[in-house]
Amino acid sequence: MEVEQKRIIWLQGAGCTGCSISVLNSVSPTIKNLLIDEVVPGQHLSLLFHPTIMAGSGEPVIEVMLDVRKEKGPYVLVVEGAVPTAGGGFFATVGEEDGRPVTLFSRFLTLAREASAIIALGDCSSFGGIPAGRPNPTGCKGVKDILTDEKLDVPVINVSGCAPHPDWFVGTVAYLLLYGLPAPDQLDELGRPKAFYGKLVHENCPRRPYFDEGKFARDLSEEGCLYEVGCKGPFTYADCPTRKWNNGVNWVVGAGSPCLGCTEPGFPDICGPFYRKISDLEKVKPRINPR
Ligand code: FSX
């Protein structure tokens, strides 16, 4: 059977590269399976450009990145990290043209225009995340906000989280390969796959019975719901309590720490201080049980 090559260009902006690290830690399939094998029968991912893991560097890889538009067939653009827009975007650059650095902002727009879909991987790329935290001197923005500003209508799937779970990325890619773009009712109002972000952390938290009976821990070592010590689970959508991390070993509340709200648009500004009860509930109320 002929194997179809599904081309991916992966841009990195303002972030910590934790999104890549998380995906590299995928267990089933492993990153080797993802890059070498057929992810779904008859389809192979062709990761043409990834700043951290590609072997090449310099002009040749920039050419590969740009040539993706000339060759026939669709490609998916993965964006990790926020896109700086202040000062013409010079806080992040990707390669050069005529000896001058080219901004990520400009590369992103060039590649986004012809992409069949964009996966905004991580909270920074989805909503701005930590790089866009107050006072945001670099003017960092998430992908969707930039496309809206530029009046570009390209399908975006937000795979939020700081960092995002590898399964959320792999599952999203597998869905794209198997079925194409998700129907609107498969995404939440923030453009995230409901399969992974459909439920509040609070709904499946093993400490939920404590919340219901009003038993709240006053410090992290106490028995009880962690809401009073900063848990953001009541307004955070993600399947961490059931999927867990590190191949299902544990998750944040299981390890005795509050959920930090890292999949949500307000992260980190409205989620901080992380270990204090959220003080301005008005900001998050609209996000509680909006469905
Ligand atoms: Fe952001 Fe990615 Fe947080 Fe880091 O680069 S979502 S800072 S885990 O890794 O963009």
Side-chain angles (χ1 to χ4, degrees):
M1 184 170 66
E2 200 178 320
V3 176
E4 237 182 286
Q5 300 298 325
K6 297 293 182 177
R7 301 179 304 159
I8 293 189
I9 297 288
W10 187 305
L11 293 177
Q12 288 176 334
C16 73
T17 320
C19 306
S20 279
I21 302 293
S22 187
V23 171
L24 290 171
N25 281 331
S26 178
V27 172
S28 181
T30 64
I31 190 67
K32 173 187 154 287
N33 298 141
L34 272 176
L35 296 177
I36 310 247
D37 302 338
E38 294 168 28
V39 177
V40 301
Q43 302 197 54
H44 171 253
L45 291 185
S46 178
L47 182 58
L48 295 171
F49 184 92
H50 186 300
T52 312
I53 63 173
M54 64 192 169
S57 62
E59 279 301 312
V61 294
I62 298 295
E63 263 172 48
V64 169
M65 180 186 79
L66 294 174
D67 281 353
V68 75
R69 296 169 312 141
K70 295 185 197 150
E71 291 154 19
K72 264 176 87 184
Y75 63 89
V76 171
L77 183 61
V78 176
V79 182
E80 168 187 3
V83 181
T85 62
F90 77 92
F91 294 100
T93 59
V94 184
E96 299 179 339
E97 252 169 44
D98 303 323
R100 298 172 71 89
V102 180
T103 64
L104 169 74
F105 189 19
S106 141
R107 297 289 197 205
F108 166 69
L109 291 179
T110 303
L111 289 160
R113 279 192 177 94
E114 286 162 58
S116 54
I118 299 175
I119 298 177
L121 180 63
D123 232 51
C124 305
S125 179
S126 298
F127 311 122
I130 291 174
R134 285 190 293 266
N136 193 9
T138 56
C140 273
K141 289 186 177 181
V143 157
K144 187 72 188 163
D145 280 352
I146 292 187
L147 294 175
T148 304
D149 292 349
E150 301 289 322
K151 299 186 175 43
L152 286 176
D153 189 18
V154 188
V156 178
I157 305 167
N158 286 327
V159 180
S160 64
C162 187
H165 196 295
D167 292 0
W168 302 341
F169 175 74
V170 173
T172 300
V173 169
Y175 188 96
L176 277 174
L177 297 182
L178 283 167
Y179 310 113
L181 288 171
D185 68 345
Q186 285 171 326
L187 302 177
D188 70 7
E189 77 274 24
L190 296 172
R192 305 177 296 192
K194 285 183 187 167
F196 307 119
Y197 303 91
K199 293 226 155 58
L200 282 171
V201 167
H202 191 53
E203 285 173 63
N204 289 310
C205 180
R207 295 198 190 211
R208 173 64 186 262
Y210 290 131
F211 179 92
D212 293 340
E213 71 182 66
K215 184 172 181 179
F216 295 98
R218 301 288 157 190
D219 63 54
L220 295 179
S221 59
E222 261 183 32
E223 204 180 320
C225 167
L226 298 174
Y227 180 65
E228 296 282 341
V229 285
C231 189
K232 312 302 184 296
F235 70 91
T236 302
Y237 286 85
D239 64 6
C240 301
T242 48
R243 185 173 302 281
K244 300 185 178 170
W245 287 69
N246 299 319
N247 199 22
V249 171
N250 206 350
W251 71 297
V252 62
V253 173
S257 171
C259 161
L260 304 183
C262 81
T263 57
E264 293 303 310
F267 181 83
D269 287 346
I270 67 166
C271 303
F274 289 150
Y275 297 106
R276 211 175 297 158
K277 182 178 171 181
I278 192 144
S279 55
D280 193 352
L281 261 181
E282 288 312 308
K283 287 184 187 163
V284 297
K285 259 190 194 156
R287 298 279 313 128
I288 298 180
N289 288 326
R291 291 166 186 81

